[in-house]
Amino acid sequence: MRKSDAFLTLSAVLLLLLGASFADAARGLVREEPALERKAEMVGRLGLTDLVLFTEARYTRHPSQADLHSAFQDHPFAMDHFPTGSLLPPPILKGRP
Amino acid sequence: MRVWLNKQRNLLDFSLSSLSRRRGKTLGMLTVYTSIVFVLASVMLFSHAIRREAATVLAKSPEVLVQRMVAGRHDLIPARHLDAIRGVRGVQSAEGRLWGYLFDPAAAANYTLMVPTNPRIEPGKVVIGDGVVRVRNADPGDLMSFRAHDGSLVQFKVDHAISRESALVSADLFLVAEEDFRRLFGIPAGMFTDLAVSVRNPREVGKIAEKIDAALPDTRIVLRDEILRTYESVFDWREGMLLVLLAGSILAFAIFSWEKASGLSAEERREIGILKAVGWETGDVILLKMLEGLVVSLSAFLVGYLLAYAHVFHLGAGLFEPVLKGWAVLYPKYRLTPFVDELQVATLFFFTVFPYTVATVVPIWRAAIVDPDQVMR
Amino acid sequence: MIHLSDVRKAFNQGKANEFWALKGIDLSVRAGKVTVFRGPSGSGKTTLLTLVGCLARPTSGRVRLRDRDISGLPERFLTDIRRSTFGFVFQQFNLLKGISAVENVMIPAYPLGRDRNELSERAHALMASLDIAAKAHSNAEWLSGGEAQRVAIARALINDPEVVIADEPTANLDSERSRQFLGIVETLKASGKTVLMTSHDPLVCDTAVVDHVVSLRDGQLVESR
């Protein structure tokens, strides 16, 4: 077999897999649709405000509810102690008075 | 056309030969390149899926939340504020919420305690999230006891667990009755954690928030919009750790690939001379090197992306666990909904394949325009 | 076939180490003949070969291939002419290491976009005619000097050029192998190829197959027969 044929075949297979990954994503989206709805329903029923991504500190467990100063914890110059703190932006507030 | 095609295939053959000649170098390059694409694509897929999931799921969270602030800290809010809020025009309903955190010494984990109003939990019972089930090994009917604020023991009987499917919003939940909540923390009746407000016309939310703010100066108001926007930008490229990690590896890779791709050895220079002397045009030499770069970068992109896809959507993004977990003990096990943005994938393709190919060609260009007679000297 | 008139070639022109390798050469190379450029090292014979073979352009003077002045052509056209008209056998053979002999032979034909099977057949046939078919799949660096040279000759012939140019073809060979090489030259000449060589080897210059010997010294023609 020619080297170029081997490479082109391999690339074609990989491209096919890439296409398959998109198809898999589309299928997964359809499959997860009811589950997403159930989750949204639960959020509405319990009045949840945040995702359970980081459970280590209150301002990372509920970033949208954290008060503006909680990132400082006990002192305005305190270093962010929790690793996941650096994965989150500060809460984004509208320019209200 | 046929000739053109034959030429490309011949050159591709030869570039594959050249690459296999430097097997160690090529394989090393491919490995590093693939892992970079893998990490980048994993972060990209993961954060996009989280953002979309948050936008879908949190669309039902409370429209307006009113918190009381005391000396820069979140404090309990008295029930009388409810009346003030209900008096604002446009407010449909307002109710007090009770929630907080509970540290469980037995598991060394923090739970999110909440008092649901619909349906209410019977006193003495608890409904727990999947994460709590896992850290405590709890089954329905098990007893869990905690020390209350005054040292007395409060006991809960596990009623049932929330299904794992919703772990992304519920893993650490610990749903209890209002009486139990107040007893556990000593919160007097008439005090709430915060107030949830729903409005009649969603377009008036901003106006109503302003009015509440004016009526209750000691409060801070969080809108659903703001919650959604907080998650829109979660895992943004600016987020510290991700950025530092990625910047470091990308920079290292940039240096590595630049060194590998651009550092023309005397041997390679000689080969280019030979190719030109036997009748190759400058364009042919550049095409050859471009094909070499393309073979490496295309393979690395495809393999890296496919691995990342499997990692994030089929293997639970296990490699991110230590980063996302931080110091926490309770880590939610969830399967992400495969939201994939094709445009993002295309961008990733462009930013990984294109620069490398260019980095290979630039020095070749310089070498390829030298006179072919140097091989005779 | 190839005519040179008042050809001069300078290296490092305009710098302190400026060096004139050729100082005005007038010469005609006839088609279908074997011509040898003879001279001590530094006499300019290799430089002359690069000019004739379109590997380089003269600093001044004219090089005509048939009736076409090629001394002023841009690189692209020179490459085109070089590819279709000349086949080169370098002194160091200049085979690419790490790939097989037969692939080395095929390299000059790759950019022409010829069919791979046809090309491979032709390469094998050429190697068979040069008695190195057995080494076709050996890597280039495993070949002996004589074998490497024959691979280089096969490579020079793959595009079926009119002119074969060999730089010091016998410099790295013993007398036996040199005689074999001259045998190959004879078959090339018989098949109508023009052969151009540089050499200071008397074995080459005094062979019957050689039609013309051009002697050079210090960049100038001293004798032509």
Side-chain angles (χ1 to χ4, degrees):
Chain A
M1 195 175 182
R2 269 177 83 168
K3 277 178 183 154
S4 61
D5 286 345
F7 173 74
L8 291 174
T9 312
L10 186 75
S11 300
V13 169
L14 287 173
L15 278 171
L16 219 66
L17 281 173
L18 184 73
S21 86
F22 289 134
D24 180 61
R27 266 213 348 259
L29 228 52
V30 173
R31 194 183 52 227
E32 298 284 324
E33 180 86 40
L36 277 175
E37 260 164 42
R38 282 195 291 274
K39 272 184 256 186
E41 189 271 331
M42 180 187 215
V43 166
R45 187 160 44 84
L46 296 177
L48 302 176
T49 52
D50 289 271
L51 299 184
V52 191
L53 285 173
F54 323 104
T55 60
E56 60 176 344
R58 63 195 159 99
Y59 67 93
T60 59
R61 169 63 182 90
H62 288 101
S64 72
Q65 301 301 301
D67 54 70
L68 287 172
H69 307 278
S70 60
F72 292 125
Q73 290 298 311
D74 293 316
H75 192 271
F77 290 131
M79 297 286 272
D80 195 346
H81 176 71
F82 295 104
T84 56
S86 67
L87 294 172
L88 284 167
I92 298 170
L93 299 176
K94 273 188 182 164
R96 269 183 287 110
Chain B
M1 185 62 198
R2 225 190 130 58
V3 167
W4 183 85
L5 212 67
N6 270 332
K7 174 175 169 179
Q8 310 303 313
R9 285 186 65 195
N10 285 338
L11 290 185
L12 183 59
D13 269 332
F14 185 59
S15 60
L16 289 167
S17 290
S18 306
L19 286 174
S20 63
R21 241 161 357 132
R22 308 184 288 266
R23 191 160 290 138
K25 192 174 154 182
T26 308
L27 283 181
M29 191 68 210
L30 257 176
T31 311
V32 176
Y33 205 155
T34 305
S35 28
I36 288 284
V37 173
F38 169 76
V39 172
L40 278 173
S42 290
V43 169
M44 188 193 86
L45 289 172
F46 181 83
S47 50
H48 180 72
I50 286 281
R51 282 196 286 260
R52 287 288 304 275
E53 178 126 12
T56 315
V57 168
L58 295 179
K60 293 263 177 73
S61 56
E63 284 175 291
V64 182
L65 286 167
V66 182
Q67 303 172 340
R68 182 166 174 241
M69 301 297 284
V70 173
R73 282 172 183 264
H74 190 178
D75 204 25
L76 295 174
I77 190 164
R80 65 187 145 76
H81 279 22
L82 279 171
D83 301 327
I85 292 169
R86 286 189 185 120
V88 172
R89 264 177 71 94
V91 169
Q92 189 171 46
S93 68
E95 54 179 310
R97 300 199 313 158
L98 285 169
W99 63 276
Y101 305 102
L102 177 68
F103 181 69
D104 179 0
N110 262 307
Y111 306 148
T112 298
L113 250 72
M114 255 191 153
V115 176
T117 50
N118 172 35
R120 290 185 183 280
I121 309 278
E122 277 175 56
K125 292 271 177 72
V126 64
V127 174
I128 53 178
D130 180 58
V132 183
V133 173
R134 276 188 298 113
V135 293
R136 281 294 295 256
N137 242 330
D139 289 314
D142 284 3
L143 289 176
M144 294 170 88
S145 41
F146 298 93
R147 285 169 75 84
H149 72 288
D150 54 3
S152 63
L153 215 61
V154 182
Q155 212 167 42
F156 295 103
K157 189 172 185 180
V158 177
D159 189 62
H160 66 274
I162 304 170
S163 87
R164 173 173 292 190
E165 151 194 295
S166 59
L168 191 54
V169 288
S170 67
D172 69 339
L173 288 189
F174 197 92
L175 304 177
V176 296
E178 183 172 344
E179 299 89 308
D180 291 333
F181 187 88
R182 292 194 189 276
R183 191 149 66 91
L184 202 53
F185 299 115
I187 297 175
M191 294 301 256
F192 291 104
T193 312
D194 55 19
L195 308 177
V197 180
S198 63
V199 299
R200 221 163 267 141
N201 181 356
R203 277 186 301 188
E204 284 180 1
V205 162
K207 262 268 164 305
I208 291 168
E210 262 173 55
K211 284 183 194 160
I212 295 173
D213 194 55
L216 305 168
D218 61 343
T219 59
R220 184 174 86 100
I221 293 166
V222 180
L223 301 182
R224 180 196 284 164
D225 255 20
E226 293 165 351
I227 296 176
L228 292 177
R229 266 192 299 154
T230 301
Y231 281 93
E232 244 168 60
S233 61
V234 78
F235 303 118
D236 202 351
W237 64 271
R238 282 188 303 168
E239 257 89 84
M241 193 121 73
L242 287 178
L243 184 66
V244 170
L245 277 175
L246 289 180
S249 52
I250 290 171
L251 217 66
F253 177 68
I255 294 165
F256 180 76
S257 60
W258 184 257
E259 206 270 332
K260 286 283 174 208
S262 67
L264 264 193
S265 61
E267 180 65 23
E268 280 174 290
R269 210 172 269 276
R270 196 182 77 97
E271 281 177 23
I272 291 170
I274 295 173
L275 292 178
K276 292 198 73 176
V278 299
W280 284 44
E281 280 172 26
T282 304
D284 299 330
V285 176
I286 289 168
L287 188 61
L288 172 78
K289 292 291 165 179
M290 242 165 87
L291 283 173
E292 277 180 28
L294 206 64
V295 166
V296 171
S297 53
L298 191 67
S299 315
F301 171 78
L302 287 173
V303 174
Y305 175 79
L306 288 170
L307 287 177
Y309 182 85
H311 167 233
V312 171
F313 294 122
H314 291 291
L315 302 173
L319 291 181
F320 291 151
E321 192 174 317
V323 179
L324 296 177
K325 202 170 171 180
W327 307 134
V329 168
L330 192 151
Y331 180 70
K333 288 258 184 263
Y334 47 82
R335 200 174 64 184
L336 281 173
T337 312
F339 290 106
V340 175
D341 183 358
E342 283 82 3
L343 187 71
Q344 257 191 348
V345 179
T347 311
L348 182 73
F349 173 80
F350 185 78
F351 278 106
T352 48
V353 171
F354 189 70
Y356 180 74
T357 311
V358 170
T360 353
V361 169
V362 169
I364 302 298
W365 173 259
R366 267 187 281 131
I369 51 175
V370 297
D371 279 334
D373 66 330
Q374 65 172 10
V375 290
M376 298 274 269
R377 289 177 204 155
Chain C
M1 180 183 191
I2 303 163
H3 306 278
L4 282 72
S5 52
D6 194 29
V7 162
R8 290 160 192 277
K9 177 74 176 176
F11 291 107
N12 305 320
Q13 199 177 15
K15 292 189 196 141
N17 55 350
E18 181 177 295
F19 168 70
W20 287 88
L22 295 175
K23 301 167 182 164
I25 303 278
D26 295 286
L27 182 73
S28 287
V29 177
R30 265 170 291 163
K33 305 283 183 192
V34 176
T35 308
V36 175
F37 298 153
R38 181 170 64 180
S41 62
S43 60
K45 56 188 191 305
T46 297
T47 308
L48 188 58
L49 213 54
T50 63
L51 294 183
V52 173
C54 293
L55 278 172
R57 274 168 289 188
T59 309
S60 73
R62 293 185 176 283
V63 179
R64 280 186 302 132
L65 176 67
R66 288 188 212 91
D67 289 323
R68 192 172 180 197
D69 185 355
I70 57 171
S71 40
L73 286 179
E75 173 68 29
R76 254 183 77 83
F77 294 92
L78 273 185
T79 306
D80 218 31
I81 292 169
R82 184 162 73 236
R83 187 154 65 190
S84 56
T85 316
F86 300 99
F88 292 89
V89 181
F90 303 102
Q91 184 178 355
Q92 308 295 339
F93 314 133
N94 281 339
L95 299 180
L96 294 183
K97 286 175 201 148
I99 58 175
S100 66
V102 66
E103 251 189 292
N104 261 296
V105 171
M106 292 192 288
I107 284 171
Y110 280 154
L112 297 177
R114 283 163 56 180
D115 181 71
R116 175 83 174 192
N117 292 332
E118 229 172 79
L119 189 59
S120 154
E121 259 168 51
R122 177 163 166 76
H124 280 289
L126 272 172
M127 293 183 82
S129 74
L130 290 166
D131 221 11
I132 39 165
K135 298 283 179 182
H137 294 286
S138 309
N139 272 7
E141 67 269 26
W142 300 338
L143 302 174
S144 72
E147 288 162 353
Q149 184 180 54
R150 278 178 283 168
V151 172
I153 295 170
R155 182 176 68 181
L157 295 174
I158 190 79
N159 284 343
D160 197 21
E162 293 166 60
V163 185
V164 175
I165 290 179
D167 188 22
E168 299 282 0
T170 60
N172 298 319
L173 304 179
D174 58 29
S175 306
E176 176 57 29
R177 302 243 179 284
S178 300
R179 256 177 242 117
Q180 278 177 4
F181 171 76
L182 290 170
I184 294 169
V185 170
E186 209 158 330
T187 50
L188 290 179
K189 185 181 171 187
S191 63
K193 309 262 183 235
T194 309
V195 180
L196 269 170
M197 294 184 274
T198 63
S199 184
H200 51 253
D201 188 347
L203 192 75
V204 174
C205 302
D206 302 337
T207 324
V209 71
V210 174
D211 300 292
H212 302 284
V213 176
V214 177
S215 299
L216 288 142
R217 186 171 283 275
D218 300 330
Q220 277 166 328
L221 229 60
V222 289
E223 189 196 352
S224 183
R225 67 169 168 86

